[in-house]
Amino acid sequence: MISVDRTLMSTHHDREFVGFMTTGPPVIFPEKIWMWVSAPKVKVDGEGRPKFASYGLRKIEVALQDAGFKAAVIDPDSLGPYLKRAKAFLVGHHDYFAFNPPSSEWWLVTGKEPVNRRRLLEFMSRAADVKRRWNQDMKTVVGGPSAWQWLYTPNYLDEFLVDTIVEGEAEKLVVRLAEAILDGEPLPRYVSIAPRDSPRIEEIPTIKAASVNGLVEIMRGCPRGCKFCNVTLRPLRMIPLDMIEEELRVNAGAGIESGVIHSEDVLLYGADGIHPRPEPLIKLHRLVKRYYKAMAWSHASLAAVVAAQREHKLITRLSEMILGENQDFTGFQTGIETGSPRLARAVMPAKAAPYPSERWPEIVEEAFMILHEHRIVPAATLIVGLPGETPDDVMKTIELVERLKPYRSMVVPMFFVPMGVLRREDWFRSVNLTRDHAELMLMTLRHSVRWAKDIISTFYLRGAKLAPVRFLLSYFLGKVAKFADGLTPDQILDHIEEAKERLAASKAKEEPVIRPLAKLKAVLTHS
Amino acid sequence: MPPPTGDVEIVLEGCPPQGSAPKISSIVSKWARMGAYRFIFTIKGARFEDCLDDLHDVIQSFIFASFTVREDGEPLGLPRITVRSANPGIEIVEEVT
């Protein structure tokens, strides 16, 4: 049985970015409405299998099925009967305890526990209770990109009866674990998979059931070597077009008309080093558009945007392929991280390549201009408080954000939190913001709210079906805009200090693990 | 002497004493330079959760390597490093079988 809590088992109204709301606590709206907007329930079949599930869970599901195991992704609301008899309960998540950005930012800024964490704790607590009472032999295995967070919360390993933590690309390992479980062998408590043991292309299975928002992986790894990112250590692998097509066919067969192609840097698919090449990218986009009416990239680098356009007019050519009758904009996630060439050279020396790090701010601005002209919306991150950051670095980032004002985009600051402090209950005290940081946060808030209102009303949530979501999100953004209008950097600093105090006070109480006994009884009664 | 494969077993006799992570990491580094990249920790007489204070620094520091941590279990027949508490600090015994 493979599952995850509702915040990840949802199509987010077929809008990937709406899913980001689950990384914050419910504000302005009550949690029920917040969840309905950000993570509505997904359709399930008679056996509790969701019509759409996270891509990572689908990969694990198919790896086990191909090896002959009876394995399936199960919706969190349908776990009851399975928990009492399953041999193994596998959970995959990309931010178990809300330690990753942006969850950690919202947690710190509001002083309230993000909804993804609340839901995960509730989900794990419910499963552990059933295991404790009826199925003590069931093995609980946790994995996914944020599996490392369990090492920082050993109390939850105990509380939720977790047997094994798996870090890394697990398609091969999960089969060995499943064999060990069925053979009654003792499981390791922790396994991490070295980059050189990552599955080769031919060892990566293709999904057999539909993924959330039609996500299909086109590449693994990244050649840019940024110091704050571990994806860069994995071997670079291009998924061949025939494998991509198999997955597109599965998703299209499930009725998906709009999907995301996933890579750390989509424009490097088939690239010559870090120089994008037209032929593979055009073939890829032509293939995707044969199956999906609308498409988006998960991530791309801003340097690749500039190189693609300067060298081959490729952004123009690709946008002509993507946009048309069924789609009038697209978007992706990207990293600016800093506006300081000095800091860029120190922590992400190849981020600007093939251009020198000294030109990084100009590359960012040029990329934003290119994207704006082609109706492609970047959602960009900044990292605040990187090791070695000076006040001058922050000023350069502020100057860059100022220059990005005319371009349709989202810009979100993220706090650098050293991993070592996450084991401390008062980890949030390690985030010490200056007035310049607060000014930067205020600029990005105003920038993002202004453009989010434009994006929602112009492109993102059009149509009668999405009218209630559009109304609620517009209402929410209106409130945030009003709040941001009167805000000063000093007020931000005061607000964050107050939030830290609230967090400290809540930590002093019992951990906020919810034990919904009434719900648990209901689940068990139905099972 | 280089290990015969990339695999090495590290036996922890109890949780590593507080502050021992740098010493264990330096042993891992040394064996990694000799070609090891899969490190299998066997914790004897203690629970994984209880050893994380120092152990997590080791298993999260070598991103090129894979780590497996098990509680007890038979010897694996691999090159073996045994780590035990000593007064003061820790004692480390390296054996290439």
Side-chain angles (χ1 to χ4, degrees):
Chain A
M1 178 178 54
I2 306 157
S3 193
V4 72
D5 70 274
R6 175 65 62 215
T7 59
L8 289 183
M9 192 76 82
S10 173
T11 62
H12 319 290
H13 302 282
D14 302 331
R15 298 293 185 278
E16 197 69 17
F17 274 89
V18 172
F20 274 99
M21 283 180 73
T22 64
T23 64
V27 288
I28 298 175
F29 304 128
E31 184 164 333
K32 264 195 171 177
I33 294 180
W34 190 267
M35 281 297 290
W36 178 80
V37 172
S38 61
K41 291 184 179 187
V42 65
K43 281 183 187 165
V44 296
D45 69 11
E47 296 184 356
R49 291 178 300 197
K51 188 169 182 188
F52 309 105
S54 305
Y55 188 79
L57 300 189
R58 288 295 193 214
K59 285 288 193 194
I60 294 302
E61 177 184 49
V62 76
L64 289 168
Q65 288 173 347
D66 285 354
F69 292 96
K70 195 177 168 192
V73 175
I74 300 295
D75 186 81
D77 287 349
S78 304
L79 287 181
Y82 294 100
L83 279 170
K84 288 170 82 174
R85 56 186 163 88
K87 298 276 185 200
F89 173 47
L90 313 182
V91 186
H93 206 292
H94 61 221
D95 196 9
Y96 281 100
F97 299 108
F99 290 160
N100 283 348
S103 314
S104 50
E105 271 81 49
W106 303 137
W107 198 355
L108 181 58
V109 167
T110 61
K112 291 179 185 169
E113 191 181 35
V115 74
N116 55 357
R117 178 182 159 101
R118 292 163 64 94
R119 290 299 171 127
L120 182 276
L121 295 178
E122 182 185 316
F123 169 82
M124 292 300 298
S125 178
R126 182 156 54 99
D129 278 340
V130 177
K131 177 173 173 176
R132 219 172 256 120
R133 291 179 197 198
W134 283 288
N135 193 1
Q136 291 176 16
D137 291 336
M138 180 178 78
K139 299 298 178 191
T140 302
V141 180
V142 294
S146 67
W148 62 270
Q149 294 183 2
W150 289 92
L151 300 176
Y152 293 77
T153 52
N155 55 315
Y156 285 134
L157 289 173
D158 253 348
E159 173 125 20
F160 299 142
L161 307 175
V162 172
D163 294 281
T164 302
I165 304 167
V166 176
E167 273 199 84
E169 296 177 24
E171 287 101 335
K172 284 194 293 179
L173 178 76
V174 75
V175 173
R176 295 210 302 275
L177 285 177
E179 285 164 354
I181 290 168
L182 289 192
D183 292 345
E185 292 172 15
L187 292 186
R189 298 300 315 280
Y190 171 83
V191 187
S192 66
I193 299 150
R196 63 201 284 186
D197 285 337
S198 295
R200 298 187 303 275
I201 289 286
E202 61 273 21
E203 293 172 322
I204 299 174
T206 54
I207 60 170
K208 302 286 189 290
S211 59
V212 165
N213 295 335
L215 189 137
V216 167
E217 186 178 44
I218 60 159
M219 206 169 123
R220 283 189 188 181
C222 172
R224 292 197 181 266
C226 299
K227 288 185 180 168
F228 45 79
C229 179
N230 63 8
V231 173
T232 197
L233 299 158
R234 297 188 198 157
L236 194 61
R237 286 149 294 169
M238 310 286 166
I239 310 292
L241 290 177
D242 58 342
M243 283 174 68
I244 295 171
E245 184 166 15
E246 276 183 46
E247 298 197 337
L248 290 169
R249 196 178 292 126
V250 167
N251 283 335
I256 290 174
E257 296 183 334
S258 168
V260 180
I261 52 173
H262 184 276
S263 158
E264 307 308 325
D265 198 341
V266 165
L267 291 169
L268 295 190
Y269 183 77
D272 176 12
I274 34 78
H275 291 272
R277 287 176 55 226
E279 190 192 341
L281 281 168
I282 287 170
K283 277 187 179 167
L284 171 70
H285 283 73
R286 193 175 289 146
L287 174 67
V288 177
K289 288 296 276 191
R290 272 196 3 233
Y291 289 90
Y292 294 162
K293 286 181 182 170
M295 65 176 288
W297 307 333
S298 65
H299 307 80
S301 67
L302 297 170
V305 167
V306 172
Q309 186 66 359
R310 281 191 194 173
E311 293 170 14
H312 307 286
K313 293 278 177 218
L314 198 46
I315 300 301
T316 304
R317 293 163 75 182
L318 295 177
S319 67
E320 283 168 0
M321 295 178 73
I322 296 170
L323 306 179
E325 190 187 337
N326 297 304
Q327 183 172 9
D328 51 13
F329 90 106
T330 189
F332 65 91
Q333 278 181 262
T334 193
I336 298 172
E337 322 308 8
T338 178
S340 159
R342 186 199 71 81
L343 199 54
R345 192 169 52 248
V347 300
M348 45 186 212
K351 186 92 159 174
Y355 311 106
S357 295
E358 286 68 25
R359 304 264 336 273
W360 177 238
E362 294 96 89
I363 296 298
V364 173
E365 190 177 356
E366 185 176 337
F368 269 56
M369 187 176 65
I370 294 167
L371 295 167
H372 184 85
E373 286 170 356
H374 292 87
R375 284 180 290 149
I376 302 174
V377 182
T381 53
L382 298 169
I383 305 180
V384 170
L386 277 165
E389 179 196 80
T390 65
D392 185 54
D393 296 325
V394 184
M395 283 315 296
K396 288 200 161 56
T397 306
I398 288 174
E399 287 164 17
L400 175 60
V401 174
E402 179 70 30
R403 296 210 301 274
L404 298 180
K405 266 186 181 171
Y407 309 118
R408 185 180 292 114
S409 56
M410 308 288 288
V411 181
V412 182
M414 299 183 168
F415 306 134
F416 179 83
V417 179
M419 284 176 77
V421 305
L422 289 175
R423 300 204 77 210
R424 298 202 323 243
E425 285 198 341
D426 63 344
W427 61 270
F428 45 88
R429 290 195 192 279
S430 73
V431 178
N432 291 308
L433 300 177
T434 64
R435 196 179 182 286
D436 290 341
H437 287 142
E439 189 180 332
L440 178 60
M441 288 171 68
L442 189 54
M443 282 180 76
T444 57
L445 178 64
R446 288 178 177 152
H447 175 99
S448 297
V449 168
R450 173 193 161 211
W451 282 115
K453 286 164 79 176
D454 172 80
I455 292 162
I456 285 175
S457 59
T458 315
F459 305 121
Y460 199 49
L461 294 168
R462 290 198 313 198
K465 190 180 151 199
L466 290 169
V469 180
R470 185 170 60 245
F471 170 77
L472 288 170
L473 278 178
S474 299
Y475 177 78
F476 173 75
L477 285 171
K479 286 271 188 191
V480 175
K482 202 171 168 189
F483 174 70
D485 272 349
L487 207 56
T488 65
D490 289 325
Q491 284 172 323
I492 288 187
L493 291 178
D494 289 346
H495 179 79
I496 288 180
E497 285 310 310
E498 283 168 22
K500 282 183 185 176
E501 291 312 313
R502 275 203 303 280
L503 266 175
S506 71
K507 287 278 172 191
K509 294 177 200 160
E510 197 183 350
E511 273 282 350
V513 181
I514 302 157
R515 293 184 179 285
L517 285 178
K519 275 188 192 168
L520 177 68
K521 278 179 191 160
V523 167
L524 298 175
T525 309
H526 285 108
S527 64
Chain B
M1 182 179 167
T5 70
D7 295 14
V8 175
E9 182 178 12
I10 302 179
V11 178
L12 300 175
E13 294 189 352
C15 288
Q18 198 177 5
S20 60
K23 277 194 176 173
I24 301 172
S25 295
S26 70
I27 287 288
V28 170
S29 288
K30 178 181 147 189
W31 281 74
R33 284 196 298 274
M34 296 190 298
Y37 74 98
R38 291 194 199 106
F39 295 89
I40 299 139
F41 282 88
T42 303
I43 305 175
K44 291 194 175 291
R47 292 181 340 136
F48 173 61
E49 289 90 332
D50 300 332
C51 297
L52 272 173
D53 270 347
D54 273 75
L55 196 54
H56 96 280
D57 279 347
V58 180
I59 60 185
Q60 292 276 288
S61 297
F62 296 91
I63 36 197
F64 63 85
S66 71
F67 291 93
T68 299
V69 183
R70 57 186 197 141
E71 288 168 352
D72 294 319
E74 295 298 310
L76 296 168
L78 298 169
R80 187 166 53 187
I81 302 161
T82 303
V83 179
R84 61 175 74 98
S85 292
N87 196 6
I90 57 170
E91 179 191 12
I92 295 175
V93 180
E94 297 169 72
E95 301 163 80
V96 178
T97 48

